[in-house]
Amino acid sequence: MDIKALVSQMTLEEKAGLCSGLDSWHTKPVERLGVPSVMVSDGPHGLRKQDQKGDHLGINDSIKAVCMPAACATAASFDRELLGKLGERIGASCQHEEVAVVLGPAVNIKRSPLCGRNFEYFSEDPYLAGELSAAYINGVQSKDVGTSIKHFAANNQEHRRMSSSSNADERTLREIYLAPFETAVKKAQPWTVMCSYNRINGTYASENPWLLTEVLRGEWGFEGYVMSDWGAVSDRVAGVAAGLDLEMPSSGGVNDKKIVEAVRAGKLDEAVVDRACERILAINYRYLENAKPETPWDQEADHELSAQMAAECMVLLKNDGVLPLSKSDDIAFIGEFAEKPRFQGGGSSHINSFKTTSALDAAGELRVTYARGYDAAGDCATDEMIAEAVAAAKAAKAAVVFAGLPDSYESEGYDRTHMALPACQNRLIEAVAAANPNTVVVLHNGSPVEMPWLDQVKGVLEAYLGGQAAGLAAVRLLFGDANPCGHLPETFPKKLADNPSYLFYGGEGDEVDYREGVFVGYRYYDKKEMDVLFPFGYGLSYTTFACSNLRLSAEKITDRDTLTVTVTVKNTGSRAGKAVVQLYVGDKKSTVKRPVRELKGFEKVALAPGESRDVTFTLDKRAFAYWNAALHDWHVESGEFTVEAGQSSRDIEASATVTVESTVQPPHRYTLDSIFMDIMDDPRAMAALQPVLEGINSMFGAGGGGESEVAKAAISEEMALAMLRYMPLRAVISFGGGAVSPEQLEGLLRLING
Ligand code: BGC
């Protein structure tokens, strides 16, 4: 299809019309020219295709589909292959259902455990979120179906989500909040990007030229089209100019008219409208020309796949020898979630599952009894319910409490206000644990919870929101038919107040200041040396692993080279299992505040008992860099970096040091207010200063106080040196006693500035 030729035949009204949706889920057709409309649908962990009467909140039912594990769970897989396979299945279901673009993945950073949509997001870590979303996108798009990576950008709370301004410095945005999008664009080129509702430093994402054009297209090379989140448009004309191609769902023609008027009034270049149309049509035809409605969609097969995937995602948090359970023992399943698991979150990602398998369903022939324990929707547990649960627990060898957050506790549209489980469930767990020493808790939640009973139970399995076959996966793991291999994609703090965003999260009115900067999640807890409940990257298995023998391809590199890191991982236990080898990098000494370590590589490795394998990572400049505001670029400071491998951010088993030399000199213009320290620490400037340094030293009495003991005690050598280092250049006039003229000082400054 010659898209340019097609657009050139369209009237201005037709073009403006094409820049907004027909309804909730379709782009507009241009019938006169035979341009069809295409459909977009929510996901991203299943297909939420609404038939008639679409509404983005899902009030009207969508077609029956397969609910796979949500992103909170799939992130815990630390498995690119799994995300790729998930994407392929979603892509195939879209082909079958004639959906051109699935609205996801959602990759916003989990700034706080409170965000209502954390269950849809991957991680507190941008590297993990970026890598996994890229794998998912590549999977979907391999089926000739598009994705819409969302919500671009800095959309980290639901509270006041359509009006709040996420206020952060550029380094924080670049290193944390934009980074997953950047990785996904560079590695997977999503067909579309969905801009977020919120403003960023005061400007709506939907009309932000820096975000939508300069960074997204100019720097990262995005080639598709940008659509708005549903209702995210404020000033449509500013949006078109900024690079927002498609407004969704529609404005009933109101905003289309504004585009036409702006072009007629000379306020908006028609070429900009043409370009938006070209982008939208290029994607639409990319789907249309490769549409395969005959693609089969075997929902039963996807159900089984979702069970397998969920088992790869669930995280074993605690196991004091209680798991796996024996199939010949009597086991009590307690808690309503054993019967009706909470396996997905509420809102636009809600899937109409064609079936679900609960843990009770999955228990089948096993010797399992059941007590309801609590009423999830009613958020209560009567004394009778607890008594019944205690009796069941007492009669069994082990008790498994299926607990978690009810739907009303976390959802799109609002944030949580605390990190606690329902009080009735905590009460139940404590009562059951008191009745049976072999108590295990299985958690169903999209975000961290406090565990006041942790010391009283022998096992904890974090199931997250594992999709419609979550119960099947949980039973396979509990009874040892599968071996847990999920690792936490986020820190579980001991309490909410420990979270770095605690004082600022939610903001004041519409102003949300990201004052913790780059210290999000483990970047903060590690820097503060704080105890956490469970660290980022943590997860147990029924076997054990060890990482050792970390080797570097070089001891010294420049920031233009790559470094190859090899580490050996061994299954040191007696069962087959999968290890997650994590690679962290940290700058030993830097002029800017940096985290102790940051994830820069991970690999999931299947190992037979006793087997060991070498895992290789390649680190490039970006692994060592931070965002330098003055350079307006990624920058590596020369010096030593730690390279660490382990099985969590707090379980580092092997490490080495590499020296990286920078080939870039950040620009520095010195003034008379610049202090000597900065000049002396800059080798180039120091070279210019050297010839006169001795004179200046003596001027400030460097070398310490005078001859007498009293003078020496008053001004030590260290203090004199410190005084000089913190002295501005202009002080040479103040303290020089006329030895240096202002003209001479200006001359020196010119020399230093080169
Ligand atoms: C959500 C998006 C979703 C859209 C369409 C919005 O409210 O923020 O994630 O894709 O609705 O349902």
Side-chain angles (χ1 to χ4, degrees), residues 24-25 41-43 48 50 55-58 103-104 106 117 120-121 150-151 155 158 161 194 197 228-231 347-349 412:
S24 281
W25 307 116
S41 273
D42 270 312
R48 193 175 73 103
Q50 282 183 296
D55 69 281
H56 79 283
L57 294 178
L103 303 175
R117 278 186 108 164
E120 279 185 77
Y121 298 149
K150 66 190 185 183
H151 309 89
N155 179 192
E158 289 299 282
R161 68 171 174 167
M194 187 192 293
Y197 285 127
S228 73
D229 198 345
W230 271 229
S348 59
S349 69
E412 177 177 340

Side-chain angles (χ1 to χ4, degrees), residues 33-289:
L33 299 170
V35 175
S37 129
V38 304
M39 183 170 203
V40 302
S41 273
D42 270 312
H45 50 266
L47 186 57
R48 193 175 73 103
K49 179 184 171 187
Q50 282 183 296
D51 261 348
Q52 309 299 320
K53 285 213 238 95
D55 69 281
H56 79 283
L57 294 178
I59 297 159
N60 293 307
D61 266 357
S62 50
I63 60 160
K64 291 278 183 203
V66 187
C67 179
M68 312 294 267
C72 57
T74 53
S77 73
F78 274 73
D79 188 345
R80 296 174 184 85
E81 225 175 277
L82 182 142
L83 268 296
K85 211 186 291 172
L86 173 63
E88 285 171 20
R89 294 314 305 150
I90 303 293
S93 63
C94 288
Q95 279 290 2
H96 180 86
E97 286 294 330
E98 299 182 72
V99 169
V101 173
V102 64
L103 303 175
V107 304
N108 297 94
I109 291 293
K110 301 182 188 205
R111 182 179 173 224
S112 161
L114 296 182
C115 176
R117 278 186 108 164
N118 274 0
F119 70 86
E120 279 185 77
Y121 298 149
F122 287 105
S123 179
E124 68 187 22
D125 181 81
Y127 178 81
L128 182 62
E131 289 290 315
L132 296 182
S133 58
Y136 172 90
I137 292 166
N138 280 327
V140 174
Q141 294 184 175
S142 72
K143 300 292 176 191
D144 297 313
V145 167
T147 54
S148 193
I149 190 170
K150 66 190 185 183
H151 309 89
F152 191 52
N155 179 192
N156 311 97
Q157 63 183 55
E158 289 299 282
H159 180 64
R160 301 173 80 105
R161 68 171 174 167
M162 295 182 84
S163 58
S164 65
S165 176
S166 302
N167 303 326
D169 58 74
E170 194 178 355
R171 183 179 158 212
T172 300
L173 290 173
R174 295 280 190 166
E175 289 185 26
I176 306 291
Y177 296 98
L178 298 186
F181 293 96
E182 178 184 2
T183 301
V185 167
K186 289 181 174 170
K187 289 196 160 175
Q189 196 59 253
W191 288 14
T192 82
V193 166
M194 187 192 293
C195 77
S196 57
Y197 285 127
N198 54 287
R199 292 175 288 151
I200 296 161
N201 293 321
T203 306
Y204 278 112
S206 62
E207 52 198 60
N208 197 319
W210 170 76
L211 187 73
L212 302 185
T213 296
E214 217 179 290
V215 173
L216 179 64
R217 294 182 188 280
E219 291 182 28
W220 301 347
F222 174 63
E223 292 164 1
Y225 75 78
V226 179
M227 71 172 83
S228 73
D229 198 345
W230 271 229
V233 166
S234 169
D235 180 336
R236 183 64 185 112
V237 173
V240 178
L244 173 62
D245 305 302
L246 178 67
E247 172 183 15
M248 286 304 282
S250 132
S251 58
V254 172
N255 281 337
D256 305 353
K257 221 166 126 216
K258 284 189 184 158
I259 295 174
V260 171
E261 282 163 10
V263 170
R264 296 244 153 88
K267 290 181 186 151
L268 181 68
D269 189 347
E270 189 165 351
V272 176
V273 183
D274 290 355
R275 206 177 49 194
C277 292
E278 285 162 17
R279 288 171 180 161
I280 295 166
L281 289 179
I283 292 301
N284 289 1
Y285 277 98
R286 195 159 165 188
Y287 163 74
L288 289 165
E289 287 168 0

Side-chain angles (χ1 to χ4, degrees), residues 223-542:
E223 292 164 1
Y225 75 78
V226 179
M227 71 172 83
S228 73
D229 198 345
W230 271 229
V233 166
S234 169
D235 180 336
R236 183 64 185 112
V237 173
V240 178
L244 173 62
D245 305 302
L246 178 67
E247 172 183 15
M248 286 304 282
S250 132
S251 58
V254 172
N255 281 337
D256 305 353
K257 221 166 126 216
K258 284 189 184 158
I259 295 174
V260 171
E261 282 163 10
V263 170
R264 296 244 153 88
K267 290 181 186 151
L268 181 68
D269 189 347
E270 189 165 351
V272 176
V273 183
D274 290 355
R275 206 177 49 194
C277 292
E278 285 162 17
R279 288 171 180 161
I280 295 166
L281 289 179
I283 292 301
N284 289 1
Y285 277 98
R286 195 159 165 188
Y287 163 74
L288 289 165
E289 287 168 0
N290 295 288
K292 297 173 212 55
E294 68 284 0
T295 304
W297 184 11
D298 183 343
Q299 297 203 347
E300 282 294 346
D302 281 3
H303 181 78
E304 172 52 30
L305 184 67
S306 91
Q308 287 169 20
M309 285 184 176
E312 303 268 318
C313 299
M314 294 182 182
V315 187
L316 183 61
L317 294 177
K318 178 171 181 175
N319 186 17
D320 285 351
V322 64
L323 294 174
L325 301 168
S326 161
K327 288 182 182 169
S328 52
D329 285 339
D330 291 320
I331 309 293
F333 276 10
I334 294 166
E336 199 183 88
F337 286 164
E339 193 185 357
K340 296 183 203 147
R342 177 154 180 269
F343 60 84
Q344 65 172 328
S348 59
S349 69
H350 199 91
I351 306 299
N352 186 2
S353 300
F354 86 93
K355 79 170 187 190
T356 59
T357 304
S358 70
L360 263 190
D361 296 333
E365 304 295 296
L366 296 168
R367 300 160 59 132
V368 166
T369 57
Y370 172 63
R372 187 171 168 221
Y374 59 85
D375 168 1
D379 196 7
C380 62
T382 60
D383 289 346
E384 291 74 46
M385 283 171 160
I386 300 232
E388 190 202 355
V390 165
K394 277 195 175 141
K397 179 77 193 293
V400 185
V401 185
F402 291 78
L405 298 175
D407 282 322
S408 63
Y409 274 59
E410 56 179 354
S411 162
E412 177 177 340
Y414 56 92
D415 291 327
R416 289 196 290 170
T417 53
H418 59 77
M419 228 178 72
L421 280 173
C424 64
Q425 293 192 28
N426 282 335
R427 199 155 63 88
L428 173 74
I429 294 168
E430 278 167 14
V432 169
N436 189 321
N438 297 316
T439 294
V440 176
V441 177
V442 179
L443 289 168
H444 305 67
N445 46 304
S447 203
V449 292
E450 289 158 11
M451 301 180 204
W453 33 257
L454 188 59
D455 291 342
Q456 298 156 48
V457 302
K458 274 213 181 127
V460 181
L461 179 68
E462 174 54 77
Y464 279 115
L465 302 182
Q468 65 182 48
L472 191 50
V475 166
R476 285 176 181 167
L477 290 169
L478 289 169
F479 288 90
D481 290 334
N483 191 352
C485 57
H487 284 244
L488 292 180
E490 63 199 325
T491 310
F492 276 44
K494 291 199 151 178
K495 56 183 190 301
L496 180 64
D498 290 348
N499 178 260
S501 73
Y502 178 70
L503 295 175
F504 325 113
Y505 189 74
E508 292 173 350
D510 280 333
E511 301 304 321
V512 187
D513 298 337
Y514 285 42
R515 292 194 204 169
E516 69 281 10
V518 300
F519 295 98
V520 175
Y522 70 91
R523 286 168 168 76
Y524 174 81
Y525 300 115
D526 283 358
K527 193 85 174 174
K528 293 270 291 184
E529 299 179 356
M530 277 170 79
D531 277 347
V532 296
L533 198 60
F534 296 106
F536 174 84
Y538 174 85
L540 301 172
S541 162
Y542 294 150

Side-chain angles (χ1 to χ4, degrees), residues 521-727:
Y522 70 91
R523 286 168 168 76
Y524 174 81
Y525 300 115
D526 283 358
K527 193 85 174 174
K528 293 270 291 184
E529 299 179 356
M530 277 170 79
D531 277 347
V532 296
L533 198 60
F534 296 106
F536 174 84
Y538 174 85
L540 301 172
S541 162
Y542 294 150
T543 186
T544 48
F545 303 99
C547 294
S548 64
N549 195 16
L550 187 145
R551 290 143 278 165
L552 305 180
S553 57
E555 280 173 16
K556 199 169 175 182
I557 57 167
T558 75
D559 61 2
R560 294 202 185 127
D561 304 326
T562 55
L563 181 73
T564 307
V565 184
T566 309
V567 61
T568 307
V569 56
K570 181 172 184 185
N571 183 341
T572 50
S574 53
R575 277 191 63 135
K578 287 183 181 170
V580 172
V581 182
Q582 299 158 43
L583 192 75
Y584 296 90
V585 173
D587 193 351
K588 284 195 176 177
K589 190 165 163 254
S590 57
T591 59
V592 295
K593 308 272 183 235
R594 297 191 66 177
V596 179
R597 62 180 59 82
E598 298 182 89
L599 186 74
K600 297 296 172 184
F602 62 86
E603 244 7 280
K604 196 158 198 176
V605 192
L607 293 168
E611 186 184 355
S612 61
R613 230 189 265 176
D614 281 350
V615 185
T616 301
F617 302 93
T618 305
L619 299 177
D620 59 11
K621 173 176 177 178
R622 191 61 182 271
F624 303 96
Y626 71 97
W627 180 262
N628 182 301
L631 268 177
H632 204 70
D633 199 358
W634 298 98
H635 182 59
V636 180
E637 280 184 336
S638 297
E640 293 187 335
F641 290 77
T642 51
V643 180
E644 306 174 315
Q647 297 180 66
S648 93
S649 58
R650 291 273 167 105
D651 179 15
I652 302 300
E653 299 175 291
S655 66
T657 297
V658 63
T659 302
V660 186
E661 191 131 344
S662 173
T663 57
V664 178
Q665 186 64 47
H668 210 125
R669 275 219 75 73
Y670 297 100
T671 68
L672 290 177
D673 289 319
S674 300
I675 63 172
F676 277 98
M677 182 173 97
D678 292 341
I679 299 165
M680 288 158 87
D681 288 349
D682 172 350
R684 198 191 41 76
M686 183 59 179
L689 186 69
Q690 194 69 58
V692 292
L693 194 61
E694 204 170 305
I696 292 170
N697 264 338
S698 63
M699 198 178 286
F700 293 117
E707 287 303 299
S708 78
E709 286 308 308
V710 177
K712 277 202 174 116
I715 301 182
S716 65
E717 221 169 287
E718 292 77 16
M719 180 191 165
L721 182 64
M723 279 184 33
L724 169 66
R725 284 173 68 78
Y726 295 148
M727 203 78 80

